[in-house]
Amino acid sequence: MIYEQQGLRPPVVGMVGAGQLARMTCQAAISLGIGFRVLAETPADSAALVCAGTVTGDYTALPDLLAFARECDVLTFDHEHVPGEHLAALEKAGAGQNGPAVRPGRAALRYTQDKLAMRERLRALGLPCPRHAPVTDLAGVSACAADWGWPVVLKAVTGGYDGRGVWVCGTPEEAAAVLAHPVAVFAEEHVAFDAELAALVARSPHGQAAAYPVVQTVQRGGVCHEVLAPAPGLAAGRAREAQRMALELAAELGVTGLLAVELFARPGDLLINELAMRPHNSGHWTIEGARTSQFEQHLRAVLDLPLGDPWMAAPQVAMANVFGAGTGTASPDIYPRFEHVMAADPGVKVHLYGKQVRPGRKIGHVTVLGSDMAGLRARARRAASYLGTGEEDQ
């Protein structure tokens, strides 16, 4: 399509995947006045419920991907699971006159799809990350434990997210139980840290870059529950160091679009833990809390438009994720709880993802802006808890 032969209409961005990230990117695309399409697995996917340009297909099937791409000027992603060989085929198709640009490309996405390759690349670049080693058997894990001590963390090389694919093994027996599964893993030292941080940056094809304030993420069971912006108590020098590492990585890996760098903060240093090349849970606060949301910024970046101002719209922002209630507690119908939440705190901004409510499932988030982080956190937690369970978390 290529902008209907150079500029006769707004471009069309296609996003492979139709989860909540695509849903919120669709909202940003509407404001920009660009075309936006999603490749959804089912019509019930979060973005498919709100996006007019929804195509149902299988992201693991190359014919479905190629057919979807033909109607787009730029192709991007709301997850990292498109097979590498399909990414290569999409890039080859995009090299033609009427094919879409693939952003980010296969070479960059490899480092989010293969966590061991990511660790090796970080080490080659001289960037700090936890000590790690490839392992295939218990003898290999035990050798790592002899150097690092127990517990040892085993991580799936591919496919893990939100705490899945990560096992903290305190004994050889626990490691043997993980190794019994048919999943390729590598070993990593168990890191004692003070806080978990995230540095979110954007980069365009011609190399313009922008960095958001570094945030603290509050994790429970490997799942993000809260995001605090800017990270409370983080020294300015350490925040700049986190941003510098994220910007350097975006350039070195050839990222186009957003790059989220998750970090462990220890008393004397920062260690890079994970990478994501798409909008990220650590950046949802930017919808109200920054002058340019991460979703608009991602679209600007992949379209090679000038990037927006990433700075904060308020001194501090707290975001809390909304989770489905446990079995036998509150009704799964969230809407009746709006009246209580909105009347109790008119400053709370509610975002729901249109997902079927299941126990423990992330179904939305709330955001609160102000200047007192302790108070903001309490307000956000109360609202998120009531929406998810019908009870306020004090």
Side-chain angles (χ1 to χ4, degrees), residues 12-19 22-23 25-27 30 35-58 64 67-69 71-72 78:
V12 175
V13 174
M15 183 166 269
V16 177
R23 181 186 179 104
T25 306
C26 178
Q27 293 171 308
I30 292 169
F36 188 74
R37 297 164 60 82
V38 296
L39 181 64
E41 292 185 72
T42 76
D45 287 356
S46 180
L49 296 173
V50 299
C51 181
T54 295
V55 175
T56 303
D58 182 357
D64 287 3
F68 177 70
E71 301 301 319
C72 306
D78 93 333

PDB file of all heavy atoms in Angstrom, residues 12-19 22-23 25-27 30 35-58 64 67-69 71-72 78:
ATOM      1  N   VAL A  12      -1.707   3.176   7.301  1.00  0.00           N
ATOM      2  CA  VAL A  12      -2.368   2.132   8.077  1.00  0.00           C
ATOM      3  C   VAL A  12      -1.312   1.345   8.837  1.00  0.00           C
ATOM      4  O   VAL A  12      -0.381   0.801   8.233  1.00  0.00           O
ATOM      5  CB  VAL A  12      -3.178   1.179   7.171  1.00  0.00           C
ATOM      6  CG1 VAL A  12      -3.766   0.022   7.992  1.00  0.00           C
ATOM      7  CG2 VAL A  12      -4.279   1.935   6.448  1.00  0.00           C
ATOM      8  N   VAL A  13      -1.452   1.306  10.149  1.00  0.00           N
ATOM      9  CA  VAL A  13      -0.580   0.488  10.993  1.00  0.00           C
ATOM     10  C   VAL A  13      -1.328  -0.792  11.330  1.00  0.00           C
ATOM     11  O   VAL A  13      -2.486  -0.758  11.774  1.00  0.00           O
ATOM     12  CB  VAL A  13      -0.188   1.227  12.290  1.00  0.00           C
ATOM     13  CG1 VAL A  13       0.596   0.300  13.218  1.00  0.00           C
ATOM     14  CG2 VAL A  13       0.624   2.466  11.961  1.00  0.00           C
ATOM     15  N   GLY A  14      -0.683  -1.915  11.119  1.00  0.00           N
ATOM     16  CA  GLY A  14      -1.250  -3.201  11.505  1.00  0.00           C
ATOM     17  C   GLY A  14      -0.505  -3.749  12.702  1.00  0.00           C
ATOM     18  O   GLY A  14       0.730  -3.757  12.723  1.00  0.00           O
ATOM     19  N   MET A  15      -1.242  -4.200  13.714  1.00  0.00           N
ATOM     20  CA  MET A  15      -0.623  -4.768  14.912  1.00  0.00           C
ATOM     21  C   MET A  15      -0.990  -6.239  14.994  1.00  0.00           C
ATOM     22  O   MET A  15      -2.176  -6.608  14.988  1.00  0.00           O
ATOM     23  CB  MET A  15      -1.072  -4.017  16.164  1.00  0.00           C
ATOM     24  CG  MET A  15      -0.422  -4.513  17.446  1.00  0.00           C
ATOM     25  SD  MET A  15      -0.657  -3.369  18.865  1.00  0.00           S
ATOM     26  CE  MET A  15       0.820  -2.345  18.712  1.00  0.00           C
ATOM     27  N   VAL A  16       0.022  -7.087  15.040  1.00  0.00           N
ATOM     28  CA  VAL A  16      -0.196  -8.521  15.185  1.00  0.00           C
ATOM     29  C   VAL A  16      -0.434  -8.808  16.661  1.00  0.00           C
ATOM     30  O   VAL A  16       0.406  -8.548  17.509  1.00  0.00           O
ATOM     31  CB  VAL A  16       1.009  -9.324  14.668  1.00  0.00           C
ATOM     32  CG1 VAL A  16       0.792 -10.815  14.903  1.00  0.00           C
ATOM     33  CG2 VAL A  16       1.242  -9.039  13.184  1.00  0.00           C
ATOM     34  N   GLY A  17      -1.612  -9.341  16.947  1.00  0.00           N
ATOM     35  CA  GLY A  17      -2.035  -9.538  18.326  1.00  0.00           C
ATOM     36  C   GLY A  17      -3.126  -8.544  18.675  1.00  0.00           C
ATOM     37  O   GLY A  17      -3.115  -7.410  18.195  1.00  0.00           O
ATOM     38  N   ALA A  18      -4.077  -8.964  19.507  1.00  0.00           N
ATOM     39  CA  ALA A  18      -5.231  -8.117  19.801  1.00  0.00           C
ATOM     40  C   ALA A  18      -5.560  -8.126  21.285  1.00  0.00           C
ATOM     41  O   ALA A  18      -6.722  -8.135  21.670  1.00  0.00           O
ATOM     42  CB  ALA A  18      -6.436  -8.579  18.975  1.00  0.00           C
ATOM     43  N   GLY A  19      -4.512  -8.096  22.105  1.00  0.00           N
ATOM     44  CA  GLY A  19      -4.713  -8.015  23.542  1.00  0.00           C
ATOM     45  C   GLY A  19      -4.941  -6.582  23.982  1.00  0.00           C
ATOM     46  O   GLY A  19      -5.217  -5.688  23.176  1.00  0.00           O
ATOM     47  N   ALA A  22      -2.878  -3.807  22.182  1.00  0.00           N
ATOM     48  CA  ALA A  22      -3.441  -3.391  20.894  1.00  0.00           C
ATOM     49  C   ALA A  22      -4.696  -2.550  21.105  1.00  0.00           C
ATOM     50  O   ALA A  22      -4.939  -1.591  20.363  1.00  0.00           O
ATOM     51  CB  ALA A  22      -3.757  -4.623  20.049  1.00  0.00           C
ATOM     52  N   ARG A  23      -5.496  -2.885  22.106  1.00  0.00           N
ATOM     53  CA  ARG A  23      -6.716  -2.123  22.386  1.00  0.00           C
ATOM     54  C   ARG A  23      -6.383  -0.668  22.701  1.00  0.00           C
ATOM     55  O   ARG A  23      -6.994   0.261  22.155  1.00  0.00           O
ATOM     56  CB  ARG A  23      -7.453  -2.773  23.553  1.00  0.00           C
ATOM     57  CG  ARG A  23      -8.774  -2.110  23.947  1.00  0.00           C
ATOM     58  CD  ARG A  23      -9.310  -2.785  25.204  1.00  0.00           C
ATOM     59  NE  ARG A  23     -10.554  -2.234  25.681  1.00  0.00           N
ATOM     60  CZ  ARG A  23     -11.751  -2.800  25.539  1.00  0.00           C
ATOM     61  NH1 ARG A  23     -11.865  -3.943  24.886  1.00  0.00           N
ATOM     62  NH2 ARG A  23     -12.842  -2.234  26.043  1.00  0.00           N
ATOM     63  N   THR A  25      -3.543   0.873  21.984  1.00  0.00           N
ATOM     64  CA  THR A  25      -2.907   1.480  20.816  1.00  0.00           C
ATOM     65  C   THR A  25      -3.952   1.925  19.813  1.00  0.00           C
ATOM     66  O   THR A  25      -3.812   2.966  19.157  1.00  0.00           O
ATOM     67  CB  THR A  25      -1.921   0.489  20.164  1.00  0.00           C
ATOM     68  OG1 THR A  25      -0.993   0.012  21.142  1.00  0.00           O
ATOM     69  CG2 THR A  25      -1.141   1.163  19.039  1.00  0.00           C
ATOM     70  N   CYS A  26      -5.041   1.164  19.689  1.00  0.00           N
ATOM     71  CA  CYS A  26      -6.144   1.559  18.805  1.00  0.00           C
ATOM     72  C   CYS A  26      -6.722   2.903  19.225  1.00  0.00           C
ATOM     73  O   CYS A  26      -7.005   3.761  18.375  1.00  0.00           O
ATOM     74  CB  CYS A  26      -7.218   0.479  18.828  1.00  0.00           C
ATOM     75  SG  CYS A  26      -8.667   0.846  17.814  1.00  0.00           S
ATOM     76  N   GLN A  27      -6.872   3.114  20.523  1.00  0.00           N
ATOM     77  CA  GLN A  27      -7.393   4.392  21.008  1.00  0.00           C
ATOM     78  C   GLN A  27      -6.472   5.538  20.615  1.00  0.00           C
ATOM     79  O   GLN A  27      -6.937   6.619  20.230  1.00  0.00           O
ATOM     80  CB  GLN A  27      -7.573   4.326  22.522  1.00  0.00           C
ATOM     81  CG  GLN A  27      -8.658   3.351  22.957  1.00  0.00           C
ATOM     82  CD  GLN A  27      -8.678   3.124  24.454  1.00  0.00           C
ATOM     83  OE1 GLN A  27      -7.666   2.817  25.065  1.00  0.00           O
ATOM     84  NE2 GLN A  27      -9.846   3.274  25.059  1.00  0.00           N
ATOM     85  N   ILE A  30      -6.824   6.394  16.877  1.00  0.00           N
ATOM     86  CA  ILE A  30      -8.017   7.191  16.568  1.00  0.00           C
ATOM     87  C   ILE A  30      -7.711   8.673  16.713  1.00  0.00           C
ATOM     88  O   ILE A  30      -8.062   9.492  15.860  1.00  0.00           O
ATOM     89  CB  ILE A  30      -9.183   6.776  17.480  1.00  0.00           C
ATOM     90  CG1 ILE A  30      -9.652   5.363  17.134  1.00  0.00           C
ATOM     91  CG2 ILE A  30     -10.340   7.769  17.373  1.00  0.00           C
ATOM     92  CD1 ILE A  30     -10.610   4.760  18.141  1.00  0.00           C
ATOM     93  N   GLY A  35      -4.985   4.971  10.032  1.00  0.00           N
ATOM     94  CA  GLY A  35      -5.643   3.679   9.959  1.00  0.00           C
ATOM     95  C   GLY A  35      -4.995   2.701  10.925  1.00  0.00           C
ATOM     96  O   GLY A  35      -3.773   2.744  11.144  1.00  0.00           O
ATOM     97  N   PHE A  36      -5.798   1.820  11.509  1.00  0.00           N
ATOM     98  CA  PHE A  36      -5.260   0.851  12.470  1.00  0.00           C
ATOM     99  C   PHE A  36      -6.019  -0.458  12.331  1.00  0.00           C
ATOM    100  O   PHE A  36      -7.254  -0.479  12.306  1.00  0.00           O
ATOM    101  CB  PHE A  36      -5.381   1.381  13.898  1.00  0.00           C
ATOM    102  CG  PHE A  36      -4.673   0.526  14.920  1.00  0.00           C
ATOM    103  CD1 PHE A  36      -3.286   0.533  15.014  1.00  0.00           C
ATOM    104  CD2 PHE A  36      -5.396  -0.294  15.774  1.00  0.00           C
ATOM    105  CE1 PHE A  36      -2.631  -0.256  15.947  1.00  0.00           C
ATOM    106  CE2 PHE A  36      -4.744  -1.097  16.721  1.00  0.00           C
ATOM    107  CZ  PHE A  36      -3.357  -1.067  16.798  1.00  0.00           C
ATOM    108  N   ARG A  37      -5.258  -1.553  12.202  1.00  0.00           N
ATOM    109  CA  ARG A  37      -5.830  -2.883  12.062  1.00  0.00           C
ATOM    110  C   ARG A  37      -5.154  -3.816  13.060  1.00  0.00           C
ATOM    111  O   ARG A  37      -3.996  -3.592  13.434  1.00  0.00           O
ATOM    112  CB  ARG A  37      -5.610  -3.419  10.642  1.00  0.00           C
ATOM    113  CG  ARG A  37      -6.292  -2.605   9.563  1.00  0.00           C
ATOM    114  CD  ARG A  37      -5.736  -2.916   8.180  1.00  0.00           C
ATOM    115  NE  ARG A  37      -5.899  -4.321   7.802  1.00  0.00           N
ATOM    116  CZ  ARG A  37      -7.009  -4.842   7.299  1.00  0.00           C
ATOM    117  NH1 ARG A  37      -8.069  -4.063   7.123  1.00  0.00           N
ATOM    118  NH2 ARG A  37      -7.079  -6.108   6.976  1.00  0.00           N
ATOM    119  N   VAL A  38      -5.874  -4.837  13.491  1.00  0.00           N
ATOM    120  CA  VAL A  38      -5.285  -5.833  14.376  1.00  0.00           C
ATOM    121  C   VAL A  38      -5.541  -7.225  13.806  1.00  0.00           C
ATOM    122  O   VAL A  38      -6.583  -7.469  13.179  1.00  0.00           O
ATOM    123  CB  VAL A  38      -5.838  -5.747  15.816  1.00  0.00           C
ATOM    124  CG1 VAL A  38      -5.462  -4.421  16.459  1.00  0.00           C
ATOM    125  CG2 VAL A  38      -7.350  -5.974  15.864  1.00  0.00           C
ATOM    126  N   LEU A  39      -4.581  -8.113  14.015  1.00  0.00           N
ATOM    127  CA  LEU A  39      -4.751  -9.526  13.690  1.00  0.00           C
ATOM    128  C   LEU A  39      -5.083 -10.238  14.993  1.00  0.00           C
ATOM    129  O   LEU A  39      -4.227 -10.391  15.867  1.00  0.00           O
ATOM    130  CB  LEU A  39      -3.485 -10.111  13.068  1.00  0.00           C
ATOM    131  CG  LEU A  39      -3.574 -11.588  12.668  1.00  0.00           C
ATOM    132  CD1 LEU A  39      -4.609 -11.794  11.562  1.00  0.00           C
ATOM    133  CD2 LEU A  39      -2.215 -12.116  12.208  1.00  0.00           C
ATOM    134  N   ALA A  40      -6.337 -10.636  15.135  1.00  0.00           N
ATOM    135  CA  ALA A  40      -6.838 -11.224  16.374  1.00  0.00           C
ATOM    136  C   ALA A  40      -6.978 -12.730  16.214  1.00  0.00           C
ATOM    137  O   ALA A  40      -7.313 -13.232  15.136  1.00  0.00           O
ATOM    138  CB  ALA A  40      -8.188 -10.611  16.741  1.00  0.00           C
ATOM    139  N   GLU A  41      -6.756 -13.446  17.315  1.00  0.00           N
ATOM    140  CA  GLU A  41      -6.987 -14.888  17.294  1.00  0.00           C
ATOM    141  C   GLU A  41      -8.467 -15.203  17.293  1.00  0.00           C
ATOM    142  O   GLU A  41      -8.917 -16.156  16.658  1.00  0.00           O
ATOM    143  CB  GLU A  41      -6.310 -15.544  18.499  1.00  0.00           C
ATOM    144  CG  GLU A  41      -4.791 -15.512  18.453  1.00  0.00           C
ATOM    145  CD  GLU A  41      -4.189 -16.288  19.601  1.00  0.00           C
ATOM    146  OE1 GLU A  41      -4.254 -17.540  19.587  1.00  0.00           O
ATOM    147  OE2 GLU A  41      -3.638 -15.654  20.519  1.00  0.00           O
ATOM    148  N   THR A  42      -9.274 -14.410  18.034  1.00  0.00           N
ATOM    149  CA  THR A  42     -10.723 -14.623  18.095  1.00  0.00           C
ATOM    150  C   THR A  42     -11.426 -13.268  18.106  1.00  0.00           C
ATOM    151  O   THR A  42     -10.836 -12.253  18.503  1.00  0.00           O
ATOM    152  CB  THR A  42     -11.138 -15.396  19.358  1.00  0.00           C
ATOM    153  OG1 THR A  42     -11.103 -14.514  20.495  1.00  0.00           O
ATOM    154  CG2 THR A  42     -10.220 -16.591  19.615  1.00  0.00           C
ATOM    155  N   PRO A  43     -12.697 -13.207  17.719  1.00  0.00           N
ATOM    156  CA  PRO A  43     -13.451 -11.947  17.785  1.00  0.00           C
ATOM    157  C   PRO A  43     -13.645 -11.436  19.211  1.00  0.00           C
ATOM    158  O   PRO A  43     -14.037 -10.289  19.402  1.00  0.00           O
ATOM    159  CB  PRO A  43     -14.793 -12.307  17.149  1.00  0.00           C
ATOM    160  CG  PRO A  43     -14.526 -13.519  16.322  1.00  0.00           C
ATOM    161  CD  PRO A  43     -13.465 -14.276  17.052  1.00  0.00           C
ATOM    162  N   ALA A  44     -13.385 -12.285  20.213  1.00  0.00           N
ATOM    163  CA  ALA A  44     -13.549 -11.882  21.605  1.00  0.00           C
ATOM    164  C   ALA A  44     -12.278 -11.293  22.198  1.00  0.00           C
ATOM    165  O   ALA A  44     -12.276 -10.901  23.370  1.00  0.00           O
ATOM    166  CB  ALA A  44     -14.007 -13.076  22.450  1.00  0.00           C
ATOM    167  N   ASP A  45     -11.187 -11.210  21.438  1.00  0.00           N
ATOM    168  CA  ASP A  45      -9.955 -10.616  21.951  1.00  0.00           C
ATOM    169  C   ASP A  45     -10.187  -9.164  22.342  1.00  0.00           C
ATOM    170  O   ASP A  45     -11.045  -8.471  21.775  1.00  0.00           O
ATOM    171  CB  ASP A  45      -8.845 -10.694  20.901  1.00  0.00           C
ATOM    172  CG  ASP A  45      -8.318 -12.106  20.722  1.00  0.00           C
ATOM    173  OD1 ASP A  45      -8.759 -13.011  21.456  1.00  0.00           O
ATOM    174  OD2 ASP A  45      -7.465 -12.302  19.841  1.00  0.00           O
ATOM    175  N   SER A  46      -9.398  -8.695  23.272  1.00  0.00           N
ATOM    176  CA  SER A  46      -9.596  -7.365  23.859  1.00  0.00           C
ATOM    177  C   SER A  46      -9.694  -6.272  22.801  1.00  0.00           C
ATOM    178  O   SER A  46     -10.628  -5.472  22.797  1.00  0.00           O
ATOM    179  CB  SER A  46      -8.444  -7.071  24.823  1.00  0.00           C
ATOM    180  OG  SER A  46      -8.576  -5.815  25.422  1.00  0.00           O
ATOM    181  N   ALA A  47      -8.736  -6.205  21.878  1.00  0.00           N
ATOM    182  CA  ALA A  47      -8.757  -5.154  20.856  1.00  0.00           C
ATOM    183  C   ALA A  47      -9.819  -5.409  19.798  1.00  0.00           C
ATOM    184  O   ALA A  47     -10.376  -4.471  19.225  1.00  0.00           O
ATOM    185  CB  ALA A  47      -7.388  -5.027  20.202  1.00  0.00           C
ATOM    186  N   ALA A  48     -10.113  -6.668  19.526  1.00  0.00           N
ATOM    187  CA  ALA A  48     -11.108  -6.986  18.504  1.00  0.00           C
ATOM    188  C   ALA A  48     -12.485  -6.444  18.878  1.00  0.00           C
ATOM    189  O   ALA A  48     -13.300  -6.160  17.997  1.00  0.00           O
ATOM    190  CB  ALA A  48     -11.179  -8.496  18.295  1.00  0.00           C
ATOM    191  N   LEU A  49     -12.735  -6.260  20.153  1.00  0.00           N
ATOM    192  CA  LEU A  49     -14.027  -5.755  20.605  1.00  0.00           C
ATOM    193  C   LEU A  49     -14.227  -4.282  20.280  1.00  0.00           C
ATOM    194  O   LEU A  49     -15.369  -3.806  20.261  1.00  0.00           O
ATOM    195  CB  LEU A  49     -14.168  -5.966  22.115  1.00  0.00           C
ATOM    196  CG  LEU A  49     -14.175  -7.422  22.595  1.00  0.00           C
ATOM    197  CD1 LEU A  49     -14.147  -7.465  24.123  1.00  0.00           C
ATOM    198  CD2 LEU A  49     -15.372  -8.174  22.058  1.00  0.00           C
ATOM    199  N   VAL A  50     -13.135  -3.546  20.026  1.00  0.00           N
ATOM    200  CA  VAL A  50     -13.259  -2.097  19.829  1.00  0.00           C
ATOM    201  C   VAL A  50     -12.661  -1.607  18.515  1.00  0.00           C
ATOM    202  O   VAL A  50     -12.898  -0.461  18.123  1.00  0.00           O
ATOM    203  CB  VAL A  50     -12.595  -1.322  20.995  1.00  0.00           C
ATOM    204  CG1 VAL A  50     -13.264  -1.664  22.320  1.00  0.00           C
ATOM    205  CG2 VAL A  50     -11.091  -1.598  21.074  1.00  0.00           C
ATOM    206  N   CYS A  51     -11.896  -2.419  17.840  1.00  0.00           N
ATOM    207  CA  CYS A  51     -11.179  -1.981  16.643  1.00  0.00           C
ATOM    208  C   CYS A  51     -11.956  -2.363  15.387  1.00  0.00           C
ATOM    209  O   CYS A  51     -12.233  -3.545  15.142  1.00  0.00           O
ATOM    210  CB  CYS A  51      -9.781  -2.608  16.602  1.00  0.00           C
ATOM    211  SG  CYS A  51      -8.807  -2.109  15.165  1.00  0.00           S
ATOM    212  N   ALA A  52     -12.294  -1.351  14.596  1.00  0.00           N
ATOM    213  CA  ALA A  52     -13.048  -1.623  13.362  1.00  0.00           C
ATOM    214  C   ALA A  52     -12.227  -2.432  12.369  1.00  0.00           C
ATOM    215  O   ALA A  52     -12.782  -3.211  11.590  1.00  0.00           O
ATOM    216  CB  ALA A  52     -13.492  -0.303  12.734  1.00  0.00           C
ATOM    217  N   GLY A  53     -10.917  -2.245  12.385  1.00  0.00           N
ATOM    218  CA  GLY A  53     -10.066  -2.941  11.428  1.00  0.00           C
ATOM    219  C   GLY A  53      -9.537  -4.251  11.960  1.00  0.00           C
ATOM    220  O   GLY A  53      -8.333  -4.496  11.974  1.00  0.00           O
ATOM    221  N   THR A  54     -10.432  -5.122  12.396  1.00  0.00           N
ATOM    222  CA  THR A  54     -10.034  -6.408  12.974  1.00  0.00           C
ATOM    223  C   THR A  54     -10.097  -7.513  11.929  1.00  0.00           C
ATOM    224  O   THR A  54     -11.084  -7.646  11.210  1.00  0.00           O
ATOM    225  CB  THR A  54     -10.923  -6.775  14.172  1.00  0.00           C
ATOM    226  OG1 THR A  54     -10.730  -5.829  15.224  1.00  0.00           O
ATOM    227  CG2 THR A  54     -10.586  -8.161  14.697  1.00  0.00           C
ATOM    228  N   VAL A  55      -9.027  -8.272  11.856  1.00  0.00           N
ATOM    229  CA  VAL A  55      -8.962  -9.463  11.013  1.00  0.00           C
ATOM    230  C   VAL A  55      -8.698 -10.644  11.934  1.00  0.00           C
ATOM    231  O   VAL A  55      -7.812 -10.581  12.790  1.00  0.00           O
ATOM    232  CB  VAL A  55      -7.846  -9.351   9.961  1.00  0.00           C
ATOM    233  CG1 VAL A  55      -7.714 -10.648   9.169  1.00  0.00           C
ATOM    234  CG2 VAL A  55      -8.101  -8.175   9.038  1.00  0.00           C
ATOM    235  N   THR A  56      -9.448 -11.704  11.785  1.00  0.00           N
ATOM    236  CA  THR A  56      -9.242 -12.907  12.593  1.00  0.00           C
ATOM    237  C   THR A  56      -8.299 -13.848  11.844  1.00  0.00           C
ATOM    238  O   THR A  56      -8.506 -14.146  10.664  1.00  0.00           O
ATOM    239  CB  THR A  56     -10.567 -13.616  12.895  1.00  0.00           C
ATOM    240  OG1 THR A  56     -11.450 -12.700  13.546  1.00  0.00           O
ATOM    241  CG2 THR A  56     -10.344 -14.817  13.803  1.00  0.00           C
ATOM    242  N   GLY A  57      -7.257 -14.280  12.537  1.00  0.00           N
ATOM    243  CA  GLY A  57      -6.284 -15.160  11.911  1.00  0.00           C
ATOM    244  C   GLY A  57      -5.322 -15.722  12.935  1.00  0.00           C
ATOM    245  O   GLY A  57      -5.392 -15.409  14.129  1.00  0.00           O
ATOM    246  N   ASP A  58      -4.400 -16.520  12.452  1.00  0.00           N
ATOM    247  CA  ASP A  58      -3.439 -17.239  13.296  1.00  0.00           C
ATOM    248  C   ASP A  58      -2.050 -16.636  13.078  1.00  0.00           C
ATOM    249  O   ASP A  58      -1.506 -16.712  11.984  1.00  0.00           O
ATOM    250  CB  ASP A  58      -3.455 -18.721  12.925  1.00  0.00           C
ATOM    251  CG  ASP A  58      -2.516 -19.559  13.784  1.00  0.00           C
ATOM    252  OD1 ASP A  58      -1.801 -18.999  14.640  1.00  0.00           O
ATOM    253  OD2 ASP A  58      -2.492 -20.784  13.572  1.00  0.00           O
ATOM    254  N   ASP A  64      -1.756 -16.347   6.859  1.00  0.00           N
ATOM    255  CA  ASP A  64      -2.582 -15.366   7.564  1.00  0.00           C
ATOM    256  C   ASP A  64      -1.814 -14.071   7.791  1.00  0.00           C
ATOM    257  O   ASP A  64      -2.346 -12.966   7.623  1.00  0.00           O
ATOM    258  CB  ASP A  64      -3.050 -15.923   8.905  1.00  0.00           C
ATOM    259  CG  ASP A  64      -4.125 -16.995   8.765  1.00  0.00           C
ATOM    260  OD1 ASP A  64      -4.470 -17.340   7.615  1.00  0.00           O
ATOM    261  OD2 ASP A  64      -4.607 -17.480   9.791  1.00  0.00           O
ATOM    262  N   ALA A  67      -1.370 -12.184   4.376  1.00  0.00           N
ATOM    263  CA  ALA A  67      -2.631 -11.575   3.926  1.00  0.00           C
ATOM    264  C   ALA A  67      -2.942 -10.333   4.754  1.00  0.00           C
ATOM    265  O   ALA A  67      -3.377  -9.305   4.219  1.00  0.00           O
ATOM    266  CB  ALA A  67      -3.768 -12.590   4.035  1.00  0.00           C
ATOM    267  N   PHE A  68      -2.718 -10.401   6.047  1.00  0.00           N
ATOM    268  CA  PHE A  68      -2.944  -9.248   6.919  1.00  0.00           C
ATOM    269  C   PHE A  68      -1.992  -8.109   6.560  1.00  0.00           C
ATOM    270  O   PHE A  68      -2.387  -6.941   6.460  1.00  0.00           O
ATOM    271  CB  PHE A  68      -2.745  -9.673   8.376  1.00  0.00           C
ATOM    272  CG  PHE A  68      -2.885  -8.562   9.371  1.00  0.00           C
ATOM    273  CD1 PHE A  68      -4.113  -7.990   9.637  1.00  0.00           C
ATOM    274  CD2 PHE A  68      -1.772  -8.087  10.060  1.00  0.00           C
ATOM    275  CE1 PHE A  68      -4.248  -6.969  10.570  1.00  0.00           C
ATOM    276  CE2 PHE A  68      -1.900  -7.066  10.990  1.00  0.00           C
ATOM    277  CZ  PHE A  68      -3.134  -6.502  11.249  1.00  0.00           C
ATOM    278  N   ALA A  69      -0.722  -8.441   6.329  1.00  0.00           N
ATOM    279  CA  ALA A  69       0.295  -7.425   6.050  1.00  0.00           C
ATOM    280  C   ALA A  69       0.020  -6.666   4.761  1.00  0.00           C
ATOM    281  O   ALA A  69       0.361  -5.484   4.650  1.00  0.00           O
ATOM    282  CB  ALA A  69       1.673  -8.081   5.992  1.00  0.00           C
ATOM    283  N   GLU A  71      -2.520  -5.364   3.673  1.00  0.00           N
ATOM    284  CA  GLU A  71      -3.426  -4.229   3.855  1.00  0.00           C
ATOM    285  C   GLU A  71      -2.857  -3.162   4.791  1.00  0.00           C
ATOM    286  O   GLU A  71      -3.587  -2.285   5.240  1.00  0.00           O
ATOM    287  CB  GLU A  71      -4.771  -4.732   4.401  1.00  0.00           C
ATOM    288  CG  GLU A  71      -5.465  -5.739   3.506  1.00  0.00           C
ATOM    289  CD  GLU A  71      -5.743  -5.174   2.116  1.00  0.00           C
ATOM    290  OE1 GLU A  71      -6.135  -3.989   2.038  1.00  0.00           O
ATOM    291  OE2 GLU A  71      -5.559  -5.912   1.123  1.00  0.00           O
ATOM    292  N   CYS A  72      -1.551  -3.250   5.071  1.00  0.00           N
ATOM    293  CA  CYS A  72      -0.920  -2.333   6.032  1.00  0.00           C
ATOM    294  C   CYS A  72       0.293  -1.648   5.402  1.00  0.00           C
ATOM    295  O   CYS A  72       0.929  -2.192   4.498  1.00  0.00           O
ATOM    296  CB  CYS A  72      -0.472  -3.098   7.279  1.00  0.00           C
ATOM    297  SG  CYS A  72      -1.783  -4.057   8.076  1.00  0.00           S
ATOM    298  N   ASP A  78       1.914  -6.683  19.347  1.00  0.00           N
ATOM    299  CA  ASP A  78       1.616  -6.487  20.768  1.00  0.00           C
ATOM    300  C   ASP A  78       2.099  -7.665  21.607  1.00  0.00           C
ATOM    301  O   ASP A  78       1.827  -7.745  22.801  1.00  0.00           O
ATOM    302  CB  ASP A  78       0.119  -6.191  20.990  1.00  0.00           C
ATOM    303  CG  ASP A  78      -0.750  -7.403  21.276  1.00  0.00           C
ATOM    304  OD1 ASP A  78      -0.404  -8.521  20.850  1.00  0.00           O
ATOM    305  OD2 ASP A  78      -1.790  -7.220  21.930  1.00  0.00           O
TER     306      ASP A  78
END
